[in-house]
């Protein structure tokens, strides 16, 4: 395991290249988001995703959400209707996990065999950089059932030497998990209240 300090506002290019290479090779990376620290792996590499489940001691029956860098990426992974896309344009990037109907290209292990997928575009430049070539898992960097880590140090205490890299860019500004909203139903349904609920309430009113 290697801890890599990264500037949260201006990530060093050489470090970002190295981190993407680790992910490309099937590695796991702890990274900051706009809410809490997450545990990432290339979603199209089965062994890497299974390693995420193993590191977190998470049941394979529980789906894991996905992080991408832009809305166009979401269109490659899930079916969008105009209403859902309109909502995304207004709130993303931001502290929201959006539940959508997945496309057939999504590995079933990510969704635990379900036909829906949770997708995030965090308002965090590091997330955008490391997920720009392929989607990565975005699940909190903790043991299942434990509090979500707000810093690299908390993530390391939880996961030990198991991740290949831990990115340390200081504490996450949010500190609480994302709000989860189901966009497969009309009107959209809030499944979990979390970060960004104030803004979302005003938008949905």
């Amino acid at each position: 395991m290697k801890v890599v300090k990264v500037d949260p506002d201006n990530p060093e290019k050489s470090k970002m290249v190295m981190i993407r290479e680790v992910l490309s090779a099937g590695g796991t990376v702890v990274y900051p988001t706009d809410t809490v620290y997450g545990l990432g792996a290339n979603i199209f590499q089965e062994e890497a995703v299974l390693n995420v489940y193993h590191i977190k001691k998470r049941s394979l029956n529980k789906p894991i959400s996905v992080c991408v860098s832009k809305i166009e990426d979401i269109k490659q992974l899930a079916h969008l209707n105009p209403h859902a896309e309109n909502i995304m344009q207004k709130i993303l990037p931001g502290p929201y996990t959006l539940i959508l109907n997945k496309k057939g290209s999504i590995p079933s292990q990510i969704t635990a065999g379900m036909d829906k997928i949770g997708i995030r575009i965090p308002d965090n430049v590091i997330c955008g950089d490391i997920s720009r070539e392929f989607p990565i898992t975005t699940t909190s960097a903790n043991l299942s059932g434990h509090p979500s880590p707000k810093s690299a140090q908390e993530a390391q205490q939880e996961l030990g030497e198991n991740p290949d890299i831990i990115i340390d860019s200081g504490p996450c500004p949010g500190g609480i998990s994302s709000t989860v909203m189901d966009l497969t139903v009309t009107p959209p349904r809030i499944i979990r209240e979390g970060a960004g609920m104030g803004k979302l309430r005003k938008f949905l009113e």
Side-chain angles (χ1 to χ4, degrees):
M1 187 273 295
K2 180 179 182 181
V3 177
V4 180
K5 289 190 176 294
V6 175
D7 187 315
D9 300 313
N10 297 288
E12 298 85 345
K13 184 176 179 179
S14 61
K15 293 179 180 179
M16 293 296 95
V17 169
M18 180 271 292
I19 291 164
R20 289 197 302 271
E21 287 176 347
V22 168
L23 288 166
S24 295
T28 53
V29 174
V30 170
Y31 62 94
T33 73
D34 52 359
T35 55
V36 298
Y37 270 75
L39 178 60
N42 184 339
I43 73 164
F44 295 115
Q45 295 194 19
E46 180 179 2
E47 190 170 332
V49 173
L50 289 175
N51 199 24
V52 168
Y53 277 98
H54 174 72
I55 290 172
K56 283 177 60 71
K57 298 182 179 179
R58 183 180 179 88
S59 169
L60 292 173
N61 295 323
K62 293 183 177 181
I64 288 179
S65 295
V66 171
C67 172
V68 296
S69 64
K70 55 187 183 298
I71 291 177
E72 288 302 311
D73 295 336
I74 295 179
K75 295 178 181 178
Q76 304 302 313
L77 305 177
H79 299 283
L80 298 184
N81 58 51
H83 181 60
E85 188 168 354
N86 179 56
I87 291 176
M88 289 180 190
Q89 295 287 354
K90 289 181 168 61
I91 65 173
L92 297 179
Y96 308 104
T97 299
L98 305 179
I99 306 301
L100 300 161
N101 290 312
K102 73 169 187 176
K103 289 189 173 179
S105 59
I106 302 301
S108 60
Q109 63 184 356
I110 284 287
T111 62
M114 301 176 189
D115 59 1
K116 297 181 181 181
I117 185 171
I119 302 181
R120 287 209 64 200
I121 303 181
D123 187 11
N124 180 287
V125 65
I126 294 174
C127 288
D129 196 307
I130 66 175
S131 65
R132 72 185 190 190
E133 295 180 0
F134 45 78
I136 62 175
T137 59
T138 182
T139 178
S140 53
N142 59 341
L143 299 178
S144 289
H146 289 200
S148 299
K150 300 180 287 294
S151 68
Q153 290 74 26
E154 290 180 3
Q156 186 172 1
Q157 288 173 2
E158 276 285 287
L159 305 181
E161 299 292 314
N162 291 308
D164 294 295
I165 290 178
I166 294 180
I167 299 173
D168 184 356
S169 66
C172 292
I176 59 174
S177 298
S178 63
T179 289
V180 180
M181 179 167 60
D182 189 346
L183 291 182
T184 69
V185 295
T186 304
R189 182 165 63 93
I190 303 299
I191 296 176
R192 180 182 72 192
E193 293 193 8
M197 266 308 300
K199 174 183 176 181
L200 193 59
R201 280 198 184 96
K202 292 178 182 178
F203 173 71
L204 294 176
E205 286 176 352

